[in-house]
Amino acid sequence: MTGLRADRVVRRAGDKVLVDGVTLTLRPGETVGLLGPNGSGKSTLLRMLAGVLAPTSGVVTLDGRPLTAVGRRVTARRVATVEQHAHTQTELTVREVVALGRVPHRGAWTPATAADAHAVARALERVGLTGRAGQSWHTLSGGERQRAQIARALAQEPRELLLDEPTNHLDIQHQLDLLDLVASLPVTTVIALHDLNLAAMYCDRLLVLCEGRAVTEGTPAEVLTPALIERVHGVRAEVTHGPGHPVIRFLRPADRDGRPAGEG
Amino acid sequence: MRLRAPLSAGAGLAALLASVAVAVTFGPADISTGDVWGSVAAHLGLGGDGATVTPLRDGIVWNLRMPRTLLAAVCGAGLAVCGTVMQSLLRNPLADPFVLGVSSGASTGAVAVVVLGAGGGVVSLSAGAFLGALLSFALVLLIGHTSGGGTDRVVLSGVAAMQLFSALTSFIVMTSADAETTRGVLFWLLGSLTGADWGQLLFCAAVLAVVLAVCLGHARTLDAFAFGDEAAAGLGIRVARTRLILLSATALLTAALVSCVGAIGFVGLVLPHATRLLTGSGHARLLPAVALTGAVFLVWVDTAARTLLDPREVPVGVVTSLIGVPAFVAVLHRGRRRT
């Protein structure tokens, strides 16, 4: 069994069940979208996949071995995470931020090697920030900051990349740019998304969560049906199947069989 | 423009050695640089039979000014390193070596020994301060851990411990001390290198060497905390374990320093910020650099403290703040221009 896999993982916090028995197997190179409303367990599932959070029960495995046995450092050389919103008060250049991705590859006392420098340069090149490498990270725009974080993740040289709503704070142009970049990366990607249309455009496969449970799984065309959108998100939508991927058009709540807005 | 690493390291070391050599010549007794070298060379057995230096001058150099100046260097380096690590680890620019209540715990321990005679005369003021500091730190870790263990909780626990031990110190002084003891304790609380001797120096230097090595070994780990605990964990850092090791190491060093010289403020808060402007935020360069700047800074501040109002002495903690606050304001202004 190669790759990253969550097997019936459960995470509880007090009485609340955040993730309830979700299984997810990743195929090499695919882009998997995690969908679901706020609080459906997307972030918690991603954190368990990254090994940052331990499942209450169930297990996350990397090439068949539980993450706890693989160890934090070795996991970080394989699995990289990009958070929703990165923030620091530390004064760092873009290159220094990207070089953080080499931390799991370097010993405590060993100076940076040519391989480290090469990985950082390649990551900067890939996200188009080579020209900004010497600049302060704080001078970057929101979209550029997220690209710098993706470059940092790429410097880890992962085979699995986990992204938690990376486009949340971006305008539409930068959302598309970022997802184009992510989809072009030669890694297996799991990405939590809010926007169903973006998910339909960029993901090979979707896993829909609701209240911590996996509701359905499949290609965007299989998953994104009016019935599912109504059931999971509580809104009505029309789905048309254009060339390539489905397109979702949401309907105003007032259109719901004459029911007034705000109900249901 | 950032300086090249080997060049700036060499310049820093040279500045430190020169500062120590020159600072030792300052003071009421007229001592020349030649006397200093003569005395040091004689004691280290580097030729020079001591005949060139009178026994009185030799005593002033070797027994009074040398240990004091070197202790100032060690304390400056130690406080600056602790402040740097605390600020990075707790992601709080206002963190300093005393943020976890170590200094107030030390004060309570010292006061308990001096005023109440705790320890039956066997335990010295320094030992009492050291135990008080470690007790306070243990309390902070316990509260922080039981309340969830996040950085904010740790900082808030430190503030709580600081208040508690300050109150205890005041209570003991108010109820039990006479005027003479109060003055002595107050002087120590503000920080003073007056009582420096070779024993204190060796103790502090040994703890500094160990803790600095531990921190340098975690330099990359400290870099990884820039974007928070979660991001550090994503980079393969065992966050809770790392935090415990580094907090304990810095608390130990702070306790050792405070037990010898009292709570010298501001060095640990300001020097890290000032040094970052020179070296950038990477800890592999920042930590050695901040140790050097802290050492040079405190050597000169202590020299000022013991000579400015000669023959009276100003508590060194008062001078660090008087110099440190304007310096801090200048640093803040420079920081504003940069961003």
Side-chain angles (χ1 to χ4, degrees):
Chain A
M1 177 67 70
T2 60
L4 191 61
R5 181 182 145 86
D7 191 5
R8 284 167 293 168
V9 288
V10 176
R11 174 73 196 190
R12 287 196 189 84
D15 299 338
K16 276 188 71 177
V17 183
L18 303 176
V19 170
D20 193 1
V22 174
T23 295
L24 176 62
T25 307
L26 302 175
R27 296 174 205 125
E30 71 175 342
T31 301
V32 176
L34 289 184
L35 298 182
N38 287 335
S40 58
K42 302 188 297 288
S43 295
T44 308
L45 179 60
L46 282 176
R47 292 171 73 202
M48 287 193 284
L49 283 170
V52 171
L53 200 65
T56 313
S57 74
V59 66
V60 178
T61 56
L62 189 59
D63 297 343
R65 291 176 67 206
L67 285 188
T68 44
V70 175
R72 296 261 353 106
R73 249 167 80 88
V74 178
T75 303
R77 289 180 210 160
R78 267 292 298 276
V79 184
T81 311
V82 174
E83 288 172 75
Q84 208 179 108
H85 188 54
H87 177 71
T88 183
Q89 290 188 327
T90 313
E91 187 60 44
L92 293 165
T93 63
V94 175
R95 180 177 284 108
E96 284 171 330
V97 170
V98 177
L100 288 178
R102 300 309 294 169
V103 167
H105 292 273
R106 292 172 64 182
W109 298 96
T110 46
T113 62
D116 291 322
H118 185 64
V120 171
R122 224 176 29 190
L124 281 165
E125 183 73 49
R126 183 96 215 186
V127 304
L129 284 176
T130 305
R132 324 284 298 264
Q135 231 170 285
S136 165
W137 185 81
H138 292 274
T139 62
L140 298 184
S141 70
E144 289 167 337
R145 286 182 186 192
Q146 282 303 62
R147 266 154 61 201
Q149 289 303 321
I150 289 176
R152 185 267 306 152
L154 291 178
Q156 287 174 248
E157 299 184 320
R159 268 189 268 167
E160 282 85 8
L161 180 61
L162 313 175
L163 303 104
D164 191 359
E165 297 179 18
T167 56
N168 246 17
H169 302 270
L170 306 183
D171 57 40
I172 184 64
Q173 185 202 341
H174 289 104
Q175 291 189 21
L176 293 172
D177 280 352
L178 194 87
L179 289 173
D180 240 23
L181 168 68
V182 169
S184 74
L185 298 173
V187 291
T188 309
T189 306
V190 184
I191 179 167
L193 283 173
H194 259 306
D195 191 308
L196 303 184
N197 278 307
L198 291 179
M201 283 167 75
Y202 287 103
C203 296
D204 303 314
R205 201 151 61 90
L206 299 175
L207 174 66
V208 182
L209 298 179
C210 189
E211 291 170 357
R213 293 212 180 89
V215 177
T216 181
E217 191 186 337
T219 64
E222 290 165 358
V223 167
L224 293 172
T225 60
L228 177 109
I229 294 169
E230 169 129 38
R231 185 173 145 215
V232 171
H233 291 276
V235 295
R236 291 227 308 167
E238 288 176 357
V239 180
T240 52
H241 290 267
H245 58 81
V247 177
I248 295 112
R249 193 172 70 85
F250 295 106
L251 305 175
R252 288 180 57 172
D255 293 344
R256 295 180 193 176
D257 308 321
R259 279 187 287 163
E263 202 178 283
Chain B
M1 186 63 208
R2 291 171 186 178
L3 298 172
R4 304 287 306 162
L7 188 72
S8 43
L13 270 177
L16 176 58
L17 288 176
S19 296
V20 169
V22 176
V24 170
T25 65
F26 281 78
D30 192 22
I31 307 272
S32 71
T33 326
D35 293 332
V36 175
W37 289 124
S39 171
V40 171
H43 281 279
L44 296 181
L46 298 171
D49 47 15
T52 51
V53 188
T54 66
L56 179 66
R57 289 184 169 195
D58 179 59
I60 290 174
V61 170
W62 190 254
N63 294 327
L64 293 177
R65 291 195 194 164
M66 207 62 186
R68 177 169 183 161
T69 309
L70 290 175
L71 187 60
V74 166
C75 287
L79 291 172
V81 166
C82 288
T84 306
V85 172
M86 291 285 186
Q87 287 169 7
S88 300
L89 206 55
L90 301 176
R91 299 185 80 207
N92 189 332
L94 287 177
D96 73 356
F98 309 131
V99 73
L100 299 184
V102 169
S103 65
S104 11
S107 310
T108 307
V111 167
V113 168
V114 173
V115 177
L116 300 181
V122 183
V123 180
S124 67
L125 181 148
S126 290
F130 191 65
L131 290 177
L134 293 186
L135 187 73
S136 160
F137 174 65
L139 185 71
V140 169
L141 277 195
L142 188 72
I143 303 174
H145 182 73
T146 51
S147 63
T151 54
D152 293 351
R153 297 307 171 97
V154 174
V155 172
L156 289 175
S157 312
V159 172
M162 213 183 294
Q163 296 295 332
L164 172 67
F165 284 102
S166 299
L168 278 176
T169 305
S170 304
F171 183 75
I172 296 173
V173 169
M174 287 309 204
T175 52
S176 312
D178 54 54
E180 188 64 25
T181 325
T182 307
R183 207 160 27 245
V185 165
L186 184 65
F187 198 75
W188 182 82
L189 286 183
L190 289 170
S192 168
L193 288 138
T194 316
D197 60 38
W198 284 100
Q200 287 185 347
L201 173 63
L202 291 179
F203 171 61
C204 290
V207 178
L208 172 65
V210 172
V211 171
L212 188 57
V214 169
C215 292
L216 281 172
H218 285 84
R220 221 99 66 204
T221 311
L222 283 166
D223 291 346
F225 276 91
F227 286 91
D229 289 359
E230 185 93 9
L235 291 170
I237 309 292
R238 283 181 282 181
V239 171
R241 181 171 164 276
T242 304
R243 190 152 54 207
L244 184 65
I245 290 173
L246 289 174
L247 287 183
S248 304
T250 49
L252 184 70
L253 178 52
T254 309
L257 300 178
V258 170
S259 71
C260 291
V261 302
I264 299 177
F266 242 80
V267 179
L269 176 61
V270 176
L271 268 290
H273 291 297
T275 310
R276 271 190 207 100
L277 294 177
L278 294 172
T279 65
S281 305
H283 288 82
R285 293 186 61 196
L286 175 59
L287 287 172
V290 83
L292 284 172
T293 53
V296 171
F297 178 77
L298 202 56
V299 163
W300 285 112
V301 165
D302 182 53
T303 305
R306 66 187 169 82
T307 53
L308 277 183
L309 290 185
D310 193 35
R312 271 184 305 157
E313 194 165 306
V314 188
V316 67
V318 171
V319 183
T320 52
S321 296
L322 287 180
I323 297 178
V325 173
F328 193 44
V329 173
V331 165
L332 286 179
H333 274 263
R334 244 194 102 174
R336 196 187 59 183
R337 276 212 303 276
R338 278 164 63 89
T339 48

